[in-house]
Amino acid sequence: MKFGKVEDPSKIDFTMPKDHPRTREILSQNKRGLENISVGAAKWNKTDMKGFYPKGTRDELTYYSTQFNSIELNGTFYGMPAPEQILTWKDKTPSDFKFFPKITSTISHYRRLIDVTDQVTQFATSVLNFEEKLGMAFLQLHDNYQPKDYSRLEKFAREWPKEVPLAIELRNTEWFTDEEIFDTTCVLFEKYGITNIIVDTPGRRDMLHMRLTTPSTFIRYVATGTEIDFIRLDEWIKRLTAWKKEGLQNVYFFVHQGVEKDRPLLSAYLVKKINEAWKTDLRIPKMADENIGTLF
């Protein structure tokens, strides 16, 4: 994900903001404790995952799902997924694997939430074929979609099929700089059980808002390719651990990292730290190329 990247990360203040006052109240509503931890990448193709796959790997998704327990499924953004394709993906993965499909751009970027009932129905009907492997669909609004079009967003949230869990990513700066509209939007998300996506990317620190609207947290993390990435993940472990104590129900964390020759998987570092802090036994993804360095 190139969005929010900067040329010189050393000039960015990566201090993590405090929780929004409402977040603790949201978490306290969950009495069932932590139920799911999903950590994944944003894609599974060999081109973007150099050094990850063993030589001779024929089916990338099948192998990917032996290392990760989830995928941020960006491919569905570029075209309406067919039910047959959903079933093919589903059948290639183990029983505990989760898909997080991105809502098709026709809905979010081209129609901009206008007259999208038929498209939403088609998308929802298709991804429901994931059945127990459906994690959560997510809508990414265009970065020029502004609060002046709030009414469309309200209608979309109200009419979204409740059978499909939903998260929404706000991108335009005005959603965050106008405190009143941000609060109003978060209340809307609370009303309809929509998870407010947190984006941790260098160039857009306003999107690191720490305002949860459900007891689930959906985090999209953009790496810098520098040592600061590990420090940032350490801070996330501290924050997630605090939220876990307060009632966090689901963790959905997706790492956007260009896998380079000498860079280990940041997601592996995150999973290892979660296992240590929470006494879990999540599988730790690894690079097939043993020549790739490790810092942990």
Side-chain angles (χ1 to χ4, degrees):
M1 185 169 71
K2 296 181 180 180
F3 179 79
K5 287 194 174 184
V6 296
E7 290 186 9
D8 186 358
S10 67
K11 296 181 179 180
I12 302 298
D13 180 3
F14 284 102
T15 303
M16 190 171 281
K18 295 180 179 179
D19 284 350
H20 188 281
R22 178 68 175 147
T23 291
R24 178 173 292 183
E25 299 174 24
I26 293 294
L27 292 173
S28 68
Q29 296 171 9
N30 175 42
K31 306 302 181 185
R32 296 185 292 184
L34 185 66
E35 296 184 347
N36 297 290
I37 306 170
S38 294
V39 177
K43 53 192 71 175
W44 67 63
N45 64 76
K46 288 181 182 178
T47 302
D48 294 293
M49 299 281 280
K50 292 182 176 68
F52 173 71
Y53 292 100
K55 290 183 179 178
T57 299
R58 293 186 177 182
D59 193 296
E60 296 158 8
L61 175 57
T62 297
Y63 180 78
Y64 173 96
S65 65
T66 69
Q67 300 297 308
F68 292 91
N69 67 3
S70 57
I71 181 75
E72 184 190 283
L73 190 55
N74 282 283
T76 52
F77 177 74
Y78 301 101
M80 188 68 69
E84 296 79 13
Q85 181 63 74
I86 297 294
L87 291 171
T88 297
W89 288 333
K90 176 178 179 288
D91 291 343
K92 288 182 177 183
T93 56
S95 59
D96 63 345
F97 194 83
K98 301 289 185 184
F99 291 87
F100 292 77
K102 189 174 184 178
I103 292 174
T104 309
S105 60
T106 299
I107 295 169
S108 59
H109 286 49
Y110 294 103
R111 289 182 176 265
R112 300 175 67 86
L113 309 187
I114 299 173
D115 297 329
V116 293
T117 300
D118 290 345
Q119 289 76 20
V120 165
T121 299
Q122 183 180 356
F123 180 88
T125 301
S126 187
V127 300
L128 280 170
N129 284 285
F130 279 127
E131 297 180 313
E132 76 282 357
K133 294 183 182 181
L134 176 61
M136 178 175 284
F138 72 102
L139 172 74
Q140 180 190 87
L141 290 173
H142 198 289
D143 46 348
N144 63 19
Y145 187 95
Q146 300 172 333
K148 65 182 178 62
D149 295 319
Y150 174 86
S151 60
R152 296 184 209 165
L153 180 60
E154 191 280 332
K155 183 176 185 292
F156 179 88
R158 173 166 35 89
E159 297 181 354
W160 177 258
K162 300 303 181 284
E163 303 90 338
V164 180
L166 177 66
I168 293 179
E169 177 184 309
L170 304 169
R171 281 197 162 191
N172 187 270
T173 303
E174 291 184 19
W175 293 102
F176 307 103
T177 55
D178 188 322
E179 186 173 339
E180 182 178 354
I181 192 64
F182 185 62
D183 285 343
T184 298
T185 306
C186 289
V187 170
L188 173 71
F189 290 177
E190 288 181 32
K191 180 178 179 179
Y192 294 109
I194 296 170
T195 296
N196 195 12
I197 291 178
I198 297 173
V199 179
D200 185 352
T201 188
R204 284 295 306 275
R205 306 312 288 166
D206 54 335
M207 298 177 73
L208 193 69
H209 49 71
M210 299 299 167
R211 171 62 159 97
L212 302 188
T213 52
T214 70
S216 298
T217 183
F218 191 128
I219 299 157
R220 305 182 76 214
Y221 175 95
V222 182
T224 66
T226 68
E227 302 310 307
I228 190 65
D229 291 333
F230 296 95
I231 299 173
R232 292 165 63 201
L233 289 176
D234 287 340
E235 291 301 310
W236 268 116
I237 293 295
K238 294 177 185 177
R239 183 60 56 95
L240 292 172
T241 298
W243 285 351
K244 179 173 174 284
K245 292 177 181 178
E246 293 171 358
L248 188 62
Q249 185 174 0
N250 301 295
V251 176
Y252 306 137
F253 200 110
F254 299 99
V255 178
H256 290 251
Q257 172 190 356
V259 179
E260 301 154 9
K261 279 205 249 180
D262 58 346
R263 299 293 296 174
L265 286 171
L266 292 172
S267 48
Y269 180 85
L270 178 66
V271 172
K272 182 176 183 291
K273 291 295 184 178
I274 288 175
N275 284 342
E276 292 173 353
W278 300 355
K279 309 304 179 186
T280 51
D281 60 352
L282 299 172
R283 59 181 176 268
I284 301 175
K286 61 184 179 181
M287 300 292 285
D289 186 344
E290 296 180 354
N291 295 319
I292 292 179
T294 181
L295 298 179
F296 48 89

